[in-house]
Amino acid sequence: MLKVAVLYPDLLGTYGDGGNAAVLAGRARARGIDLEVEEVTIGAKIPSASLYLLGGGEDGPQRLACDLLSEGGLIDRFNEGANVFAVCAGLQILGTSFSIEGDASYPGLGFVAATTTRGLSRSVGDFVTDVQGRMMVGFENHGGVTVLGEGVSALGDVVMGRGNDGRVDGFRAPRLIATYAHGPVLAQNPWLADELLSEITGQELAPWSSVADRLYSERCALLSTRRSDAGHIGG
Amino acid sequence: MAVMTLRLSWRARVAMGGVVATNLLSRLLGRGSGTVVGGRVGLFIEPKLLTVLSRSRSVVLVSGTNGKTTTSAMLRVGWGGDVAGNVTGANMTEGHVAALCASSAAHAVLETDEGWLPIVVSATSPAVVVLLNLSRDQLDRANEVRQMAQRWRDCLAPEKFLGVVVANCADPLVVYAAESSTNVRWVQVPTVWRADAASCPHCTRALIFEGSSWSCECGFAQPTRVTARLGSVLEIGEQSYALNLALPGVFNEVNTALAATALYELGENVADVLSRIRTLDSVQGRYGLRRYGHREVRLLLAKNPAGTAALLESLDGDDDVWVAINAQVADGKDPSWLYDVPVEALRGRRISCLGERRVDLATRLTYAGVDSEVVDDFELLREGTARVTLIANYTAFRDWMGRTSPC
Ligand SMILES: [Zn+2]
């Protein structure tokens, strides 16, 4: 059976990102795919899983989560073939370093070359990224500025909001996606949820329509009008 | 009325006049109750107006993420007689100033926004500060919850505050905030919401929850020397009391326990206090029955995951359930908190989804395996016979107060 592990929702669950697991489970169930969700809380061992989910969190808990993920060997699981999907603080943890609580830099897990420093202001609001021609809608709430190293691909181009730096959002590598989008992002973007699900099952998914499709199209319609009302926002 | 002889400077008198005049004008112009505007004018004329108005009164402050308005109402009713208070829910300094200008009562109960608590403690020198709980609320505009606990802790330390703190000791973040005070009365109550206090506020290790208590390896633990304890009855001091409230839910029993303990500290007779609190059957439209077309509707306010989880536990089995979710500034612009609510408790019901973010809500319910319907035209809901429980967040609640009428 497929397993999705939600890593430390007690530390990285401040912004409803635990919902991403509920979305994957719901969409799998609708296709008759057996998928188990395991919440890995502080003190528990990181289990073997097809996909690991990381969410957003506050500064202190973010550092603790980073330590636990490092001790728990998340990178080994990834190197052995597991997928990782990370949001916000989770994204920052996967990079080479991040600054929180003042300007002291803290080493990340180093999945990709990406450094996060504290920006001058916090970005809070609706957030849209163009992911290879597809709109990814969500909500962002963070104060970080993330710079990608040579050869690291962004997830997409920012259309509204900040993402990494006002131009691009997140990063993407084989079996790895990271974004600043909350919402939770997989609830707001059913196509992205299916893309992930398809990757971990290794199969084409049967189409399944639900009210989530209406949510996605309404959010896209609304945010695209707001964007043209406000002139050019973002990158 | 003239309970109090205020010695006021000319400036404070002019400032008070400003508050009253502005509020009157604002009401005449039909711009709401005007409390905030009036308070703002008064504070402009006399920045220390809140301090001046609090002098020679016995003030109780109530703060926390959930239950502030209800607990404040319980304190006012439970205290008995004439009690000043910000009954319109304007819970920052301007609202407090307006409330104290409007009443000369010797007793005042002020519902206080969590972020404003340090300023209001310093301005009013309250006799008692009641701390209910701390959990995530409207994260896109509020401070993160641990930072809030730290700010409370700082403002309750003996260098800054010498009054009594009445605190919910089941909530680790509240305990962290209150333990800086040398004058705490702990109230032990049942609690279900712990998601925001999983790691120790002192050392970030995982807190260990065992039965009804919690502790950390570093020594931080649930206080055991309690003044009051809520189980099947409420024990305060040496006595036990049955609650038998008109308001629903365990969370309202918890609010009562904290309110009654505060009044006990102020020397009131607990049995009398409780008999007065039992008369409360609605607070600012909440819990009371209202009418929408042919339907009887019980309106409940749910602003955040902890509050909503508590409401879901108290649902009446036979009611139709409508849920209305908006995402205005006052609600928090991001409705993703819906994924932190254990909506699985609604399985087996069919939920009518209302409000601007009804499609977000229906999506959330779908993934939780709860049957739901997006209602685009709420006029259609007027027909029907079953009684309705309507759970709404802040601005949606206000909308539905407007659409329904008193029974
Ligand atoms: Zn500790």
Side-chain angles (χ1 to χ4, degrees), chain B residues 142-158:
Chain B
N143 268 310
E144 288 169 327
V145 53
R146 279 157 192 278
Q147 289 171 20
M148 195 71 83
Q150 185 63 48
R151 293 178 55 210
W152 282 11
R153 184 181 170 91
D154 295 343
C155 83
L156 298 173

Side-chain angles (χ1 to χ4, degrees), chain B residues 200-205 207 216-220:
Chain B
C200 174
H202 280 285
C203 72
T204 71
R205 281 194 197 95
L207 290 174
C216 176
E217 280 174 41
C218 75
F220 181 58

Side-chain angles (χ1 to χ4, degrees), chain A residues 13-15 27 64 188 214, chain B residues 136 139 144 204 360 367 376:
Chain A
T14 318
Y15 300 93
R27 301 188 75 82
L64 176 60
Q188 304 266 326
R214 176 172 166 191
Chain B
R136 63 189 84 168
L139 276 164
E144 288 169 327
T204 71
D360 292 76
Y367 287 132
D376 295 316

Side-chain angles (χ1 to χ4, degrees), chain A residues 129-136 153-157 172 191 195:
Chain A
T129 296
D130 178 338
V131 180
Q132 292 161 339
R134 254 186 138 147
M135 290 303 141
M136 181 184 81
S153 308
L155 175 61
D157 296 321
R172 182 169 212 167
W191 62 271
E195 215 175 280

Side-chain angles (χ1 to χ4, degrees), chain B residues 116-364:
Chain B
W116 284 76
L117 188 67
I119 289 171
V120 179
V121 165
S122 146
T124 61
S125 303
V128 180
V129 174
V130 178
L131 302 181
L132 300 170
N133 48 62
L134 261 182
S135 69
R136 63 189 84 168
D137 187 29
Q138 304 167 17
L139 276 164
D140 63 320
R141 67 189 192 106
N143 268 310
E144 288 169 327
V145 53
R146 279 157 192 278
Q147 289 171 20
M148 195 71 83
Q150 185 63 48
R151 293 178 55 210
W152 282 11
R153 184 181 170 91
D154 295 343
C155 83
L156 298 173
E159 336 50 290
K160 299 212 174 125
F161 177 62
L162 290 167
V164 173
V165 178
V166 170
N168 168 3
C169 72
D171 185 325
L173 288 170
V174 166
V175 173
Y176 178 75
E179 67 178 359
S180 65
S181 163
T182 45
N183 225 353
V184 193
R185 308 292 180 268
W186 300 113
V187 182
Q188 189 186 313
V189 298
T191 182
V192 286
W193 188 260
R194 280 167 172 161
D196 294 301
S199 89
C200 174
H202 280 285
C203 72
T204 71
R205 281 194 197 95
L207 290 174
I208 304 149
F209 292 94
E210 273 168 322
S212 62
S213 79
W214 51 267
S215 61
C216 176
E217 280 174 41
C218 75
F220 181 58
Q222 175 160 337
T224 49
R225 294 175 56 108
V226 303
T227 300
R229 184 179 280 114
L230 174 66
S232 54
V233 292
L234 174 62
E235 297 165 51
I236 299 183
E238 305 289 292
Q239 305 278 331
S240 313
Y241 308 88
L243 290 184
N244 303 321
L245 302 177
L247 297 178
V250 174
F251 54 99
N252 276 323
E253 295 184 358
V254 171
N255 295 337
T256 304
L258 286 144
T261 306
L263 292 171
Y264 169 74
E265 285 303 320
L266 290 164
E268 298 297 315
N269 177 301
V270 176
D272 294 345
V273 163
L274 290 174
S275 70
R276 290 191 286 262
I277 290 178
R278 279 184 206 112
T279 63
L280 263 186
D281 55 6
S282 85
V283 178
Q284 300 273 313
R286 302 173 201 180
Y287 312 113
L289 276 183
R290 297 183 65 83
R291 193 162 290 285
Y292 182 64
H294 299 288
R295 322 285 305 252
E296 261 187 351
V297 181
R298 189 166 65 120
L299 265 175
L300 302 177
L301 176 68
K303 298 177 294 183
N304 50 43
T308 313
L311 290 181
L312 295 184
E313 280 200 345
S314 72
L315 282 181
D316 193 314
D318 297 330
D319 282 14
D320 280 357
V321 179
W322 305 351
V323 182
I325 301 296
N326 283 356
Q328 302 284 337
V329 172
D331 305 308
K333 302 273 284 179
D334 171 23
S336 66
W337 60 274
L338 291 171
Y339 285 83
D340 293 326
V341 179
V343 295
E344 290 76 9
L346 294 170
R347 279 184 195 153
R349 294 174 179 271
R350 185 171 170 79
I351 308 302
S352 297
C353 301
L354 298 157
E356 295 161 348
R357 300 307 286 262
R358 57 192 179 277
V359 183
D360 292 76
L361 171 65
T363 301
R364 163 65 180 128

